[in-house]
């Protein structure tokens, strides 16, 4: 029998707290999951076979939460195809309902850990953009090891981008913004786009949570990198 003490458990950047899955969200997953949720496999995603419009730009979003911003961006940029990754079922169900309500044809979902998806399903040099909006800051120092944005993960993401493609990270924690910049310096093929990195691009919607924070005087840092 394999000694369980020798097993190395990966440090996850999330804790799977499902929260309350409403009947509407549960029915969305049950009724439309086969259509809109891409199962985890060890095969690379073929974007051209996944979406009706074949030549669209390919954008990956990691950790879309409840999916409100994801749906808005996809709806407003039909010339791009999107795949959103999220582990929590309430967010997945909520986004499916929005996709069906607004007839969003350029957006699909993967419900799994993003690190596994990037490792196994995303081809190198295949993405035009990656969005990571408000990842868990794990603000207590003893929890910093759980942060998703580390040099090792940035290097993986950079390889998935086409030359000149972008990685857009937004956070409302100044310490995490500084952490992200420090970690990015360890990645040779990502370059910070400009020096003023805390202005929100027009394509990213401002969430209710974000607006509330701004009204209280909080800042949001939008950090955009380009692959060399």
């Amino acid at each position: 029998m394999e000694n369980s003490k020798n097993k190395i458990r990966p440090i996850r950047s999330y804790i799977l707290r499902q929260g309350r899955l409403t009947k509407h969200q549960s029915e969305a997953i049950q009724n439309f999951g086969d259509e809109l949720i891409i199962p985890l496999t060890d095969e690379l995603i073929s974007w051209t076979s996944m979406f009706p419009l074949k030549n669209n730009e390919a954008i990956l979003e990691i950790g879309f939460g409840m999916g409100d911003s994801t749906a808005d961006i996809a709806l407003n940029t039909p010339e791009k195809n999107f795949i959103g990754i999220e582990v929590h079922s309430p967010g997945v169900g909520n986004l499916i309902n929005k996709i069906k309500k607004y007839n969003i044809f350029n957006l699909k979902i993967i419900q799994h850990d993003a690190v596994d998806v990037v490792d196994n399903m995303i081809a190198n040099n295949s993405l035009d953009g990656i969005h990571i909006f408000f990842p868990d800051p794990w603000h207590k120092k003893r929890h910093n090891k759980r942060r998703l944005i580390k040099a090792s993960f940035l290097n993986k993401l950079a390889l998935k981008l086409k030359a000149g493609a972008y990685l857009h990270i937004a956070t409302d924690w100044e310490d995490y913004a500084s952490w992200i910049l420090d970690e990015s310096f360890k990645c040779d093929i990502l370059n910070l786009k400009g020096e003023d990195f805390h202005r929100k691009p027009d394509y990213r919607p401002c969430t209710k949570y974000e607006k509330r924070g701004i009204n209280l005087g909080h800042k949001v840092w939008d950090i955009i990198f380009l692959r060399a």
Side-chain angles (χ1 to χ4, degrees), residues 76-205:
N76 291 323
T77 51
E79 71 279 6
K80 299 180 181 181
N81 290 327
F82 296 85
I83 292 177
I85 303 173
E86 179 56 56
V87 295
H88 296 98
S89 293
V92 171
N94 188 66
L95 182 54
I96 289 175
N97 280 321
K98 286 185 173 293
I99 291 172
K100 301 307 290 186
K101 178 179 180 180
Y102 297 108
N103 194 28
I104 302 173
F105 62 88
N106 58 332
L107 172 59
K108 290 187 182 293
I109 296 166
I110 300 177
Q111 187 175 7
H112 200 81
D113 177 44
V115 176
D116 292 338
V117 174
V118 170
D119 283 343
N120 296 302
M121 299 182 68
I122 307 298
N124 288 349
N125 306 298
S126 66
L127 299 177
D128 296 282
I130 299 173
H131 298 166
I132 308 177
F133 299 151
F134 304 102
D136 193 326
W138 292 103
H139 59 280
K140 294 181 179 179
K141 189 171 183 180
R142 68 177 184 272
H143 292 156
N144 284 177
K145 62 185 178 182
R146 289 187 174 272
R147 286 177 167 175
L148 176 66
I149 311 302
K150 299 175 182 176
S152 57
F153 192 51
L154 288 174
N155 276 295
K156 287 183 180 182
L157 294 179
L159 292 175
K160 306 305 175 181
L161 292 169
K162 299 175 183 176
Y166 71 91
L167 165 62
H168 178 181
I169 306 172
T171 180
D172 56 353
W173 282 82
E174 184 172 8
D175 172 70
Y176 202 4
S178 298
W179 166 288
I180 291 166
L181 289 178
D182 288 343
E183 292 296 294
S184 75
F185 296 148
K186 304 170 188 176
C187 182
D188 293 336
I189 58 174
L190 281 181
N191 297 317
L192 184 65
K193 182 181 179 180
E195 295 181 0
D196 186 5
F197 59 88
H198 55 78
R199 290 187 178 181
K200 184 182 76 65
D202 292 338
Y203 63 77
R204 184 178 71 76

